[in-house]
Amino acid sequence: MFGTAKHTAALLLAGVMLTACSGTPDGGSDGGSRGGSDDKPAASPTPKTPAAAGALTEAQLKSAAFTDGEKVGKYTASEYTLGAPLSESYTAQPALCQPLVSLAKEVADPDPAAEVQRKVDVPDEMFGLEVAVQLRSYADGGAATVLKNLTAAGSGCAAGFTEERAVAQAKYLKVEPAKAPALGDEAKAFRFTILDVKGEVKLYEYLTVIRSGSTTLAFRAEITDTKDVGGVPAEVVNAQWRKFQALGTV
């Protein structure tokens, strides 16, 4: 969704570069994850009954989140200047597809009781991969509802939908299931094919959401390039999962 300042600025330069290059609009695809082969997530587990524990507090989520400057393999974690990516305010048409765009309380239901957001990227790479890492806790079974809504959106929006931004629209051409990690009580993963706001270039994003009891861990991978990165890097997902496990609530 390119909700960060780095990606917003980069799109202008990327458009010039792409116009100057020959080849197909789809660009190349390496078809694989940037994570090592020994760190690839396994298949998604069978959903379990939601835990009865109450929602985690913001302080608890912060203690489980990446810290500013923390190294995650070749990536570095940081806090968003505005607390969250700009794309958190984006909406979807039809509304069924909203969970695929943003799960923020301002635009999606159910509302999280608390949320913490981090960015993971290679700071010196203007056109490199960026992963939004979002931890959210829910009351009254809300986390399980989020996964149900994601399942419905993945099915009902497979043929595409429109993402409404502040001053533009982006067209999701296709929503496909991707390989989800065998972590938590249940997990979902998706691959998006998106037409840029100028309607000229196809871009690719990935979304992975894990539920553990009343908490969700979401990872959205995007890149300002026509390259298909193959999924959310497993090293990022697994590192965040280990930190979450250390809370002792799993």
Side-chain angles (χ1 to χ4, degrees):
M1 295 184 298
F2 305 103
T4 65
K6 179 175 77 173
H7 281 155
T8 301
L11 278 176
L12 298 176
L13 179 57
V16 175
M17 293 174 63
L18 289 169
T19 301
C21 295
S22 61
T24 63
D26 292 42
S29 170
D30 59 14
S33 170
R34 293 195 179 190
S37 58
D38 293 335
D39 201 25
K40 291 183 179 179
S44 178
T46 301
K48 302 175 185 177
T49 303
L56 298 181
T57 64
E58 182 177 352
Q60 287 176 305
L61 293 180
K62 283 183 177 179
S63 68
F66 291 128
T67 57
D68 195 32
E70 181 173 350
K71 295 295 184 180
V72 186
K74 71 174 185 178
Y75 305 100
T76 300
S78 61
E79 297 182 17
Y80 286 99
T81 302
L82 299 178
L86 296 176
S87 55
E88 282 295 271
S89 63
Y90 295 168
T91 58
Q93 293 296 332
L96 170 68
C97 310
Q98 182 61 44
L100 302 174
V101 171
S102 172
L103 294 170
K105 61 183 178 182
E106 292 83 3
V107 295
D109 291 320
D111 288 348
E115 58 185 339
V116 171
Q117 313 217 27
R118 297 289 185 264
K119 176 176 65 175
V120 177
D121 65 358
V122 178
D124 295 333
E125 292 185 2
M126 176 175 253
F127 299 104
L129 178 70
E130 181 176 301
V131 183
V133 182
Q134 302 161 318
L135 279 60
R136 294 183 171 96
S137 62
Y138 295 84
D140 304 321
T145 299
V146 167
L147 269 294
K148 290 179 181 178
N149 292 345
L150 280 167
T151 300
S155 175
C157 306
F161 62 93
T162 300
E163 180 180 84
E164 300 282 352
R165 305 179 181 181
V167 294
Q169 293 181 334
K171 179 65 177 178
Y172 281 57
L173 301 177
K174 187 185 300 184
V175 176
E176 302 170 278
K179 188 174 183 179
L183 299 172
D185 296 320
E186 56 181 321
K188 295 291 180 182
F190 304 94
R191 175 183 184 266
F192 306 128
T193 302
I194 304 172
L195 195 63
D196 74 336
V197 293
K198 292 184 178 181
E200 299 173 353
V201 179
K202 288 182 181 178
L203 306 169
Y204 303 94
E205 291 183 13
Y206 286 84
L207 173 66
T208 294
V209 182
I210 302 166
R211 180 182 70 80
S212 178
S214 59
T215 304
T216 62
L217 294 75
F219 307 83
R220 182 179 289 271
E222 56 187 40
I223 187 170
T224 313
D225 198 330
T226 57
K227 180 170 62 176
D228 186 344
V229 298
V232 179
E235 60 194 293
V236 175
V237 174
N238 292 338
Q240 178 58 84
W241 177 252
R242 288 191 293 267
K243 289 178 70 75
F244 178 69
Q245 279 185 306
L247 278 181
T249 60
V250 179

